């Protein structure tokens, strides 16, 4: 009868511990001729204890006490992952995490409660929750059954499963993780902790860099080695910070752009309504009633338009985001539920804020207009918030007609006598310049709006480029264990991986020696040998010789002295497994000597490391299969994904090589850390889905802004046409002014981005050009449509057109 406890523990209490082996009289016992109650006799006391322990063990589970499950490396590295629910944190006091098999076996689900009695048998293991047999408190004489506390009710917070391609880390269904506060016994005062028992979880990724520095100093002082698992954060932290800043700036700029667009709409509407307000005031209508009559139509339209536009935008944005998140849900962490919907309270707050801003803006302009006399409002120069200056001299100034036309330049009674040529281009440019200077408020708002929208588009493009950089900068690390030699060799030559490193050590027989000698094969011999060593190469050889396929090796100085060999000699090597197989098969020594493979010793290694100076080292390209006469498993290999766009292709290759390795290796496995890459890809996908909507919103505002400005300038178009300006030239004047302001805003923003981040600006120059081109096209289309609208009538009809 033999039982072995395979519990996991990181300072927990195990249900039962049995001795791992039985020999002599503790082995099988003959019971023939004994009474039926033989187990109750003193001679079978030990076996009776085993039976009681096994019967008791049916409902016993291994308990892992942890302050924070996120700090357990197996979970942190996704080798064990949550299939449902969440991990335990420091805030949990009455929760637990069980295996998915546990839920299926007992018909439970996350959120249900279980009753657990905790035992007092301590089994100190490692922090990765994987214990070896020697870590357990093995009792040599009898099975040991712990004492149990009263039952405690715990809520199942989550369920875990084995990570993809990690069969070596398959969890036992008999493990339950509980908060460390529930530990029913005190840890002995004389218990000495070991460095391998420490693991921590950094709550905020922005603290990782500081933690690296602090932990590095601590490890140096304590002489410890640190194993970081930051999921590649240090590789992409700068890009993430830049991306987060660009995303925040984009949000702010779009909010400011929307506010400026609303502000401009209110400004133009009040400006168009000033004469109606003045006439009502002159007819005796009270100021409050006249103001309400002017503002209420605009407010009523806003009450309808703002919710309709806002809900439409939210609908399309949420729809695009949800499609993107659902498309990438397969690569999301376990328990991740895509949800791009905003709370109704947030939506209502945003819409109410827009309406409040429109009302306050209208009230501001209306209040300014109330302080201006009605007669002054009827004049072209009277504008809300501005009073005309009274000339300090009786000398009449130059008389300007509406539109900036100087009376001094009108034809005299005898005809037109210009002093200089006044061509089409000069005429249009002069008008645009004068109109920009005279309408400073309107010009400033239009220019700021153009700059803000261009900056919003630019920051969005920067955010896309930044997260794209982060996607490619992230180092996706991978590892494989017990893959066959041929598959490892193929993997090392694959263009999908870089920084490849593999290593394994096995015993070989050297011709002429009587003992087994360790031989290491590696893809990176300098790393395998260590930094503190020197190699004396034979003439004509160097480290580059291992790039070929010839059977060569380097030998440790002590071993070379013992074997009596030097650099340049030949050395017969055969794997110990093959050697003993031949010996067991009765192969004579003379015949066996023909089966050794001859290696050229190209160098002697001198090192203080006993492992190096007493070993043999060779490269993986030297056709090591001949040592075994067959393929063989390689202990471990590490690599980095060469092209992050081809992660799926690499995973398919690893799956294929894993299935091929099963023939020669009982348990091949691999691990590819794509968690960080998946997170960045989700952000990229979300930005890609929202980018067209953001550009469309900016183009729409860029289209309607110039349109409203020109429609408000309908009276200027009337006077231009009366003074003999052709429709074509008048339209050019109106449109060119808006184009100049739009181009000025784009140039200012593009220049600022180019100075701030020339690298990303250069990489995204095509995207910047396309987006700004669309924005400029929207501005041109809106301005052109409005210019045609205000100039398409005949002269008499133009005089009747209401602004």
């Amino acid at each position: 009868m033999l039982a072995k406890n395979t519990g996991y523990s990181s300072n927990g209490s195990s249900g039962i511990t049995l001795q791992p082996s039985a020999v002599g009289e503790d082995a099988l016992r003959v019971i023939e001729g004994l009474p039926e109650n033989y187990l109750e006799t003193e001679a079978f006391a030990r076996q009776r204890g085993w039976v009681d322990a096994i019967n008791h063990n049916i409902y016993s589970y291994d308990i892992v006490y942890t302050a924070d499950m996120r700090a357990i490396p197996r979970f942190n590295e996704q080798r064990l992952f949550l299939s449902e629910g969440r991990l335990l944190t420091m805030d949990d006091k009455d929760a637990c995490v069980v295996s998915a098999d546990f839920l299926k076996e007992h018909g439970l689900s996350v959120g249900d409660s279980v009753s657990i009695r905790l035992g007092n048998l301590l089994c100190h293991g490692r922090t990765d929750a994987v214990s070896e047999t020697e870590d357990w408190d093995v009792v040599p004489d009898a099975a040991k059954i712990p004492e149990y506390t009263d039952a405690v009710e715990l809520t199942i917070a989550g369920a875990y499963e084995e990570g993809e391609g990690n069969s070596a880390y398959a969890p036992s269904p008999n493990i339950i993780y509980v908060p460390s506060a529930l530990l029913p016994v005190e840890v002995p005062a004389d218990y000495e902790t070991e460095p391998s028992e420490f693991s921590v979880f950094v709550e905020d990724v922005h603290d990782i860099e500081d933690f690296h520095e602090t932990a590095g100093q601590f490890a140096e002082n304590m002489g410890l080695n640190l194993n970081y698992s930051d999921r590649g954060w240090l590789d992409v932290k700068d890009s993430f910070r830049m991306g987060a800043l660009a995303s925040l700036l984009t949000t702010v700029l779009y909010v400011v752009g929307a506010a400026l667009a609303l502000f401009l709409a209110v400004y133009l509407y009040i400006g168009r309504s000033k004469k109606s307000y003045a006439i009502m005031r002159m007819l005796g209508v009270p100021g409050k009633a006249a103001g309400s009559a002017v503002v209420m139509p605009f407010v009523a339209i806003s009450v309808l338009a703002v919710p309709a536009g806002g809900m439409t935008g939210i609908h399309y944005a949420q729809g695009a985001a949800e499609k993107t998140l659902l498309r990438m849900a397969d690569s999301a962490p376990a328990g991740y539920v895509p949800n791009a919907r905003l709370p109704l309270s947030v939506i209502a707050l945003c819409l109410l804020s827009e309406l409040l801003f429109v009302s306050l803006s209208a009230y501001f302009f209306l209040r300014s207009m109330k302080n201006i006399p009605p007669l002054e409002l009827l004049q072209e120069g009277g504008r809300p918030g501005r009073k005309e200056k009274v000339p300090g001299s009786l000398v009449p100034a130059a008389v300007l007609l509406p539109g900036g036309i100087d009376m001094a330049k009108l034809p005299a009674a005898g005809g037109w006598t210009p002093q200089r040529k006044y061509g089409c281009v000069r005429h249009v440019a002069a008008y645009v310049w004068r109109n920009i200077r005279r309408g400073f408020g309107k010009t400033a708002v239009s220019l700021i709006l153009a700059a803000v929208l261009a900056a919003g588009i630019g920051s969005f493009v920067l955010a896309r480029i930044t997260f794209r950089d982060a996607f490619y900068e992230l180092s996706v690390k991978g590892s494989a264990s017990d893959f066959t030699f041929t598959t490892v060799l193929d993997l090392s030559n694959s263009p999908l991986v870089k920084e490849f490193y593999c290593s394994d050590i096995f015993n070989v027989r050297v011709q002429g020696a009587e003992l087994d000698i360790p031989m290491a094969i590696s893809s990176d011999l300098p790393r395998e040998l260590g930094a503190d060593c020197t190699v004396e190469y034979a003439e004509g050889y160097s480290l580059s010789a291992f790039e070929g396929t010839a059977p060569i090796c380097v030998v440790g100085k002590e071993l070379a002295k013992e074997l009596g060999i030097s650099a340049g000699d030949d050395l017969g090597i055969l794997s110990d497994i093959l050697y003993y197989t031949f010996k067991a098969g009765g192969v004579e020594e003379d015949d066996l000597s023909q089966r050794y493979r001859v290696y050229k010793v190209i160098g002697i290694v001198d090192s203080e490391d006993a492992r190096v100076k007493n070993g043999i080292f060779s490269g993986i390209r030297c056709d090591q299969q001949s040592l075994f006469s067959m393929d063989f498993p390689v202990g471990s290999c590490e690599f980095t994904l060469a092209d992050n766009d081809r992660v799926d292709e690499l995973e398919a290759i690893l799956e294929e090589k894993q299935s091929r390795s099963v023939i020669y290796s009982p348990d091949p496995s691999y691990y590819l850390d794509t968690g960080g890459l998946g997170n960045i890809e989700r952000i990229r996908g979300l930005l890609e889905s929202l980018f067209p909507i953001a550009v469309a919103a900016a183009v729409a505002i860029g289209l309607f802004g110039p349109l409203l400005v020109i429609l408000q300038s309908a009276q200027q178009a009337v006077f231009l046409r009366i003074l003999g300006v052709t429709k074509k030239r008048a339209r050019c004047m109106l449109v060119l002014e808006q184009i100049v302001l739009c181009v000025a805003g784009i140039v200012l923003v593009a220049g600022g981005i180019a100075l701030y981040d020339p690298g990303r600006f250069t990489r995204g120059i095509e995207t910047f050009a396309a987006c700004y081109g669309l924005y400029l096209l929207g501005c041109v289309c809106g301005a052109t449509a409005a210019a045609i609208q205000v100039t398409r009538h005949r002269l008499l009809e133009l005089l009747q057109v209401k602004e």
Side-chain angles (χ1 to χ4, degrees):
M1 184 185 300
L2 176 65
K4 180 181 178 182
N5 192 319
T6 57
Y8 289 28
S9 176
S10 66
N11 190 20
S13 63
S14 171
I16 298 172
T17 300
L18 301 180
Q19 72 175 48
S21 62
V23 295
E25 66 176 18
D26 291 328
L28 296 177
R29 300 283 298 276
V30 178
I31 61 175
E32 184 178 0
L34 296 179
E36 294 183 358
N37 63 342
Y38 66 91
L39 281 178
E40 298 177 4
T41 63
E42 186 65 24
F44 284 86
R46 185 176 183 80
Q47 285 77 8
R48 184 170 62 252
W50 288 347
V51 172
D52 293 340
I54 291 174
N55 291 333
H56 195 280
N57 199 43
I58 295 176
Y59 297 103
S60 297
Y61 296 88
D62 294 319
I63 306 298
V64 176
Y65 296 89
T66 175
D68 195 331
M69 283 186 69
R70 296 172 298 179
I72 299 177
R74 300 299 178 196
F75 286 95
N76 184 266
E77 297 170 0
Q78 294 292 300
R79 300 191 182 189
L80 299 178
F81 70 93
L82 281 185
S83 58
E84 298 180 70
R86 61 175 179 81
L87 296 173
L88 297 179
T89 65
M90 297 181 65
D91 297 329
D92 288 309
K93 303 299 181 185
D94 56 357
C96 66
V97 172
V98 299
S99 69
D101 292 337
F102 180 92
L103 295 182
K104 295 177 182 178
E105 180 181 353
H106 298 285
L108 298 173
S109 59
V110 173
D112 293 342
S113 297
V114 292
S115 179
I116 298 177
R117 298 175 63 194
L118 302 174
N120 66 343
L121 178 59
L122 292 180
C123 305
H124 305 289
R126 300 198 302 266
T127 54
D128 59 359
V130 179
S131 292
E132 303 296 340
T133 304
E134 58 268 23
D135 291 330
W136 289 78
D137 182 16
V138 179
V139 182
D141 297 327
K144 186 175 182 181
I145 300 177
E147 297 179 0
Y148 291 96
T149 63
D150 294 335
V152 293
E153 291 289 332
L154 300 179
T155 302
I156 300 176
Y160 61 88
E161 287 186 359
E162 169 195 354
E164 176 100 15
N166 287 279
S167 57
Y169 306 104
S172 166
N174 294 330
I175 306 170
I176 300 178
Y177 293 86
V178 301
S180 56
L182 296 179
L183 187 64
V185 296
E186 294 185 3
V187 179
D190 58 349
Y191 174 70
E192 296 183 2
T193 59
E194 299 179 3
S196 61
E197 296 184 8
F198 288 99
S199 63
V200 298
F201 180 82
V202 181
E203 190 77 32
D204 188 347
V205 293
H206 296 92
D207 295 333
I208 291 179
E209 192 171 8
D210 294 336
F211 173 79
H212 269 252
E213 296 178 1
T214 304
Q217 296 175 359
F218 173 80
E220 184 178 356
N221 295 334
M222 296 288 293
L224 305 176
N225 292 325
L226 295 180
N227 181 24
Y228 293 110
S229 178
D230 60 14
R231 312 295 294 275
W233 168 252
L234 291 182
D235 296 332
V236 298
K237 61 182 179 63
D238 293 333
S239 294
F240 254 95
R241 288 170 181 170
M242 181 63 186
L245 178 61
S247 300
L248 177 61
L249 184 61
T250 300
T251 303
V252 172
L253 288 172
Y254 268 86
V255 171
V256 173
L260 284 175
L262 292 174
F263 186 83
L264 180 62
V266 175
Y267 174 78
L268 296 177
Y269 176 81
I270 297 297
R272 291 184 61 188
S273 304
K274 64 181 182 296
K275 290 186 178 179
S276 300
Y277 177 82
I279 292 173
M280 284 188 290
R281 289 292 307 277
M282 294 176 67
L283 293 176
V285 179
K288 185 176 182 180
S292 299
V294 170
V295 174
M296 286 307 296
F298 186 81
V299 173
I301 294 175
S302 300
V303 170
L304 296 175
V306 169
M311 295 303 295
T312 301
I314 290 174
H315 171 73
Y316 281 104
Q318 287 186 161
E322 286 180 347
K323 289 180 181 179
T324 302
L325 294 176
L326 287 173
R327 189 169 62 250
M328 295 183 292
D330 293 339
S331 63
Y336 174 77
V337 180
N339 184 11
R341 295 192 174 275
L342 291 173
L344 292 178
S345 57
V346 175
I347 297 175
L349 179 62
C350 292
L351 296 179
L352 289 175
S353 299
E354 289 186 62
L355 291 174
L356 180 62
F357 179 79
V358 170
S359 302
L360 292 176
S361 300
Y363 174 77
F364 170 77
F365 288 116
L366 186 63
R367 183 177 180 182
S368 300
M369 194 165 57
K370 288 180 180 180
N371 298 327
I372 302 175
L375 290 177
E376 188 175 336
L377 288 174
L378 291 174
Q379 298 177 10
E380 174 65 19
R383 293 186 297 278
R386 175 177 175 180
K387 294 184 178 181
E388 297 296 333
K389 295 182 180 180
V390 179
S393 173
L394 297 178
V395 179
V399 180
L400 293 176
L401 290 177
I405 306 301
D406 194 340
M407 285 288 294
K409 295 180 179 179
L410 292 179
W416 183 266
T417 55
Q419 297 180 357
R420 58 181 177 177
K421 185 176 180 180
Y422 207 65
C424 174
V425 176
R426 188 181 184 86
H427 185 199
V428 173
Y431 170 82
V432 170
W433 176 242
R434 285 196 301 269
N435 204 46
I436 288 176
R437 287 186 302 169
R438 292 181 66 241
F440 179 78
K442 180 173 61 178
T443 298
V445 174
S446 298
L447 180 60
I448 294 174
L449 178 61
V452 168
L453 292 178
I457 295 174
S459 59
F460 211 128
V461 174
L462 272 183
R464 291 174 70 242
I465 296 174
T466 300
F467 282 109
R468 184 186 65 187
D469 291 347
F471 180 83
Y472 290 110
E473 290 171 358
L474 182 67
S475 296
V476 179
K477 303 292 185 179
S479 62
S481 60
D482 293 331
F483 275 32
T484 58
F485 177 79
T486 54
T487 58
V488 169
L489 191 61
D490 291 342
L491 188 62
S492 68
N493 296 322
S494 173
L496 297 179
V497 301
K498 61 181 181 180
E499 300 174 7
F500 184 86
Y501 173 75
C502 72
S503 175
D504 198 3
I505 300 177
F506 46 87
N507 290 331
V508 297
R509 294 287 293 198
V510 175
Q511 196 168 14
E514 297 182 356
L515 299 176
D516 293 340
I517 298 173
M519 178 176 179
I521 60 171
S522 175
S523 59
D524 187 352
L525 281 181
R527 176 176 172 180
E528 184 70 25
L529 295 173
D532 300 330
C533 73
T534 57
V535 182
E536 181 183 349
Y537 289 100
E539 185 177 356
Y541 289 94
S542 65
L543 181 64
S544 60
F546 287 101
E547 297 177 1
T549 59
I552 57 177
C553 66
V554 294
V555 179
K557 187 175 182 179
E558 292 295 330
L559 179 61
K561 182 179 180 180
E562 180 181 343
L563 298 176
I565 60 175
S566 59
D569 292 344
D570 293 334
L571 186 64
I573 302 176
L574 184 66
S575 69
D576 62 341
I577 295 177
L578 202 59
Y579 174 82
Y580 290 116
T581 301
F582 288 145
K583 292 290 288 184
V587 178
E588 297 295 334
E589 192 68 31
D590 293 340
D591 294 335
L592 186 60
S593 63
Q594 304 298 323
R595 301 180 185 271
Y596 283 87
R597 188 182 185 195
V598 177
Y599 277 72
K600 172 72 71 174
V601 179
I602 68 169
I604 304 299
V605 185
D606 187 9
S607 174
E608 296 297 328
D609 188 346
R611 178 186 66 88
V612 175
K613 63 184 179 182
N614 290 288
I616 303 173
F617 301 87
S618 184
I620 65 170
R621 303 187 187 281
C622 299
D623 187 22
Q624 308 294 349
Q625 287 178 274
S626 58
L627 290 177
F628 295 86
S629 296
M630 61 182 294
D631 213 345
F632 61 93
V634 177
S636 65
C637 58
E638 304 170 1
F639 50 85
T640 302
L641 180 62
D643 185 354
N644 290 354
D645 280 327
R646 304 176 69 181
V647 61
D648 293 336
E649 187 176 347
L650 178 59
E651 283 190 305
I653 291 177
L654 291 173
E655 286 285 350
E656 185 265 337
K657 292 189 180 301
Q658 183 183 28
S659 61
R660 284 171 51 189
S661 299
V662 173
I663 302 175
Y664 299 98
S665 176
D667 197 14
S669 63
Y670 74 89
Y671 173 65
L672 197 59
D673 187 5
T674 59
L677 196 67
N679 293 333
I680 299 177
E681 182 61 22
R682 279 187 287 277
I683 298 175
R684 283 186 63 196
L686 186 60
L687 289 177
E688 293 292 340
S689 64
L690 296 179
F691 184 66
I693 299 175
V695 174
V699 171
I701 297 176
L703 187 150
F704 286 103
L707 187 145
L708 293 175
V709 172
I710 293 178
L711 289 179
Q712 195 268 346
S713 305
Q715 195 176 71
Q716 295 184 20
V718 172
F719 286 109
L720 288 172
R721 295 287 288 115
I722 291 175
L723 293 175
V725 178
T726 64
K727 287 184 179 181
K728 184 177 181 181
R729 185 174 298 188
R731 291 168 181 171
C732 288
M733 292 176 176
L734 297 174
V735 173
L736 186 60
E737 178 182 357
Q738 300 305 312
I739 293 178
V740 168
L741 295 176
C742 181
V743 171
I746 292 175
V747 170
L748 286 174
V749 172
I753 295 175
L755 292 175
Y756 177 73
D757 197 339
R760 290 190 173 93
F761 180 80
T762 302
R763 291 196 297 274
I765 188 67
E766 294 181 359
T767 306
F768 281 109
C771 294
Y772 287 148
L774 284 175
Y775 175 61
L776 181 59
L777 179 62
C779 176
V780 172
C781 292
T784 302
I788 293 174
Q789 173 66 25
V790 298
T791 59
R792 66 187 180 90
H793 302 282
R794 296 178 181 177
L795 290 179
L796 292 178
E797 295 175 345
L798 284 174
L799 292 174
Q800 300 174 4
V801 174
K802 183 180 179 181
E803 292 184 9

